Amino acid sequence: GAGVSQSPRYKVAKRGQDVALRCDPISGHVSLFWYQQALGQGPEFLTYFQNEAQLDKSGLPSDRFFAERPEGSVSTLKIQRTQQEDSAVYLCASSLSGTSGSGGEQFFGPGTRLTVL
Amino acid sequence: AQSVTQPDIHITVSEGASLELRCNYSYGATPYLFWYVQSPGQGLQLLLKYFSGDTLVQGIKGFEAEFKRSQSSFNLRKPSVHWSDAAEYFCAVVFKAAGNKLTFGGGTRVLVKP
């Protein structure tokens, strides 16, 4: 079956532009996560959805970052007024489990590489 | 504070030699433990995971990992490395009290010499 897909795969933005990154999770997966991976580092958690509810947004670095999952399936991560420090790979993951603390396996998409000039 | 440490940034190993990647975590209880591999341009692929029970877990591609509670470690091993194992490896942890989000170590890049 299809895995997690993300689009676009690459995005170049000028500083100050707004960008929107899309994630299509595996069908039927309850949980959806966004991570940010800076060059040469491990991924860092941004936000988590259980169905359409955003249960944890503690990792969002500023109020310029906004995520939504209005119908409990596709999710969009939006970054307003992009800055150079936003340059990173943005990874989306989905998990069948919705139970907090269950540690259900997360399946990752290929990521979107964002470069802010 | 809860954290995950991979002490080795780079490891170079000869093809056919054994490989061990270290991972330590800081947490008051036993977390859920994972190892992921990331090849260039690829997403993260799960190699293996530990939730409970037998502390030696087997994964895909011939990898295994051992959980040692006394050392707060979850080291990854492979007896004989293939050139295709060259990649970046990430240890990741779910600290149960913090929900299901993964906390990753900084990664270890493995280079394989012919």
Side-chain angles (χ1 to χ4, degrees), chain A residues 62-74:
Chain A
S62 77
D63 58 7
R64 297 186 294 104
F65 287 71
F66 171 77
E68 60 183 4
R69 194 185 184 197
E71 298 179 356
S73 178
V74 171

Side-chain angles (χ1 to χ4, degrees), chain A residues 21-117:
Chain A
L21 313 180
R22 177 187 169 106
C23 172
D24 284 82
I26 295 172
S27 178
H29 277 197
V30 171
S31 296
L32 186 145
F33 303 80
W34 284 97
Y35 295 87
Q36 179 191 58
Q37 185 176 19
L39 187 64
Q41 297 183 23
E44 293 191 353
F45 170 78
L46 292 177
T47 188
Y48 161 62
F49 290 86
Q50 185 180 108
N51 295 308
E52 69 278 5
Q54 189 175 19
L55 299 186
D56 187 348
K57 52 182 181 179
S58 62
L60 295 176
S62 77
D63 58 7
R64 297 186 294 104
F65 287 71
F66 171 77
E68 60 183 4
R69 194 185 184 197
E71 298 179 356
S73 178
V74 171
S75 177
T76 303
L77 176 67
K78 298 179 179 178
I79 309 173
Q80 297 177 324
R81 304 181 304 281
T82 53
Q83 304 294 315
Q84 285 190 322
E85 61 263 28
D86 300 334
S87 295
V89 175
Y90 291 86
L91 297 168
C92 175
S94 70
S95 171
L96 183 62
S97 170
T99 304
S100 181
S102 67
E105 180 179 348
Q106 295 182 28
F107 295 84
F108 283 81
T112 295
R113 181 177 296 278
L114 172 65
T115 302
V116 181
L117 303 176

Side-chain angles (χ1 to χ4, degrees), chain A residues 9 31 33 35 37 40-45 48 56 58 91 97-106 108-110, chain B residues 32 34 36 38 41-46 49 51 88 90 94-107:
Chain A
R9 291 293 310 276
S31 296
F33 303 80
Y35 295 87
Q37 185 176 19
Q41 297 183 23
E44 293 191 353
F45 170 78
Y48 161 62
D56 187 348
S58 62
L91 297 168
S97 170
T99 304
S100 181
S102 67
E105 180 179 348
Q106 295 182 28
F108 283 81
Chain B
Y32 299 129
F34 306 80
Y36 284 86
Q38 187 176 43
Q42 303 289 318
L44 289 158
Q45 182 182 22
L46 180 67
K49 60 188 177 186
F51 282 14
E88 184 121 28
F90 293 97
V94 167
F95 299 112
K96 301 171 191 175
N100 287 332
K101 60 187 176 188
L102 288 164
T103 299
F104 286 85

